[in-house]
């Protein structure tokens, strides 16, 4: 319950927490049996032709929308949207797209872009991991 309470609000720390939670759900929420590889809804829903990629693409664009709320530059937002678009486009290819989704983590890439922005422009939102 504490985690959810920390994610409510429009301050940079709350936005960061929401983005990190969404990235974890999309990219690292469970481990594939026999592979020891963490995957998330991006991979799992990507197995459902077309609809799964549309849903996870929309979820990825939510991260971009939250980044816009942080005042990130248009270049950064376009780069992040391109990551999501590339993931959705190639992920929609049957079988090859599913394999692609195992290795291309657009939401993790976007989280790195956001963290770099936050660390530079909102250092109070930095999370110290121990």
């Amino acid at each position: 319950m504490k985690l959810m309470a920390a994610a409510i609000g429009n301050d940079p720390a709350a936005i960061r927490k929401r983005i990190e939670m969404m990235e974890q759900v999309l990219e690292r929420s469970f481990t594939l049996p026999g592979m020891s590889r963490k995957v998330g809804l991006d991979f799992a829903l990507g197995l459902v032709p077309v609809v799964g990629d549309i849903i996870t693409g929309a979820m990825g664009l939510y991260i971009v929308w939250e980044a816009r709320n942080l005042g990130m530059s248009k270049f950064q937002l376009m780069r992040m949207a391109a990551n999501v678009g590339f993931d959705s486009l190639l992920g929609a290819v049957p079988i090859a797209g599913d394999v692609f989704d195992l290795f291309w983590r657009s939401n993790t890439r976007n989280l790195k872009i956001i963290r770099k922005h936050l660390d530079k422009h909102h250092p109070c939102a930095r999370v110290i991991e121990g």
Side-chain angles (χ1 to χ4, degrees), residues 52-65:
D53 294 301
I54 291 171
I55 291 169
T56 57
M59 293 171 79
L61 288 176
Y62 168 77
I63 292 174
V64 178
W65 179 77

Side-chain angles (χ1 to χ4, degrees), residues 45-122:
L45 288 177
L47 296 172
V48 179
V50 183
V51 175
D53 294 301
I54 291 171
I55 291 169
T56 57
M59 293 171 79
L61 288 176
Y62 168 77
I63 292 174
V64 178
W65 179 77
E66 285 283 24
R68 182 193 63 83
N69 292 338
L70 290 170
M72 293 180 67
S73 72
K74 287 185 181 192
F75 174 77
Q76 290 169 314
L77 296 174
M78 287 190 305
R79 187 171 155 207
M80 292 171 61
N83 283 339
V84 174
F86 186 66
D87 185 13
S88 297
L89 192 64
L90 287 179
V93 176
I95 301 170
D98 300 326
V99 174
F100 171 77
D101 273 340
L102 279 173
F103 301 102
W104 178 267
R105 297 181 180 226
S106 63
N107 301 297
T108 302
R109 290 171 184 267
N110 288 345
L111 178 59
K112 287 179 184 176
I113 294 168
I114 293 167
R115 282 180 173 161
K116 186 175 178 182
H117 171 82
L118 284 170
D119 290 348
K120 182 177 181 182
H121 298 285
H122 303 282

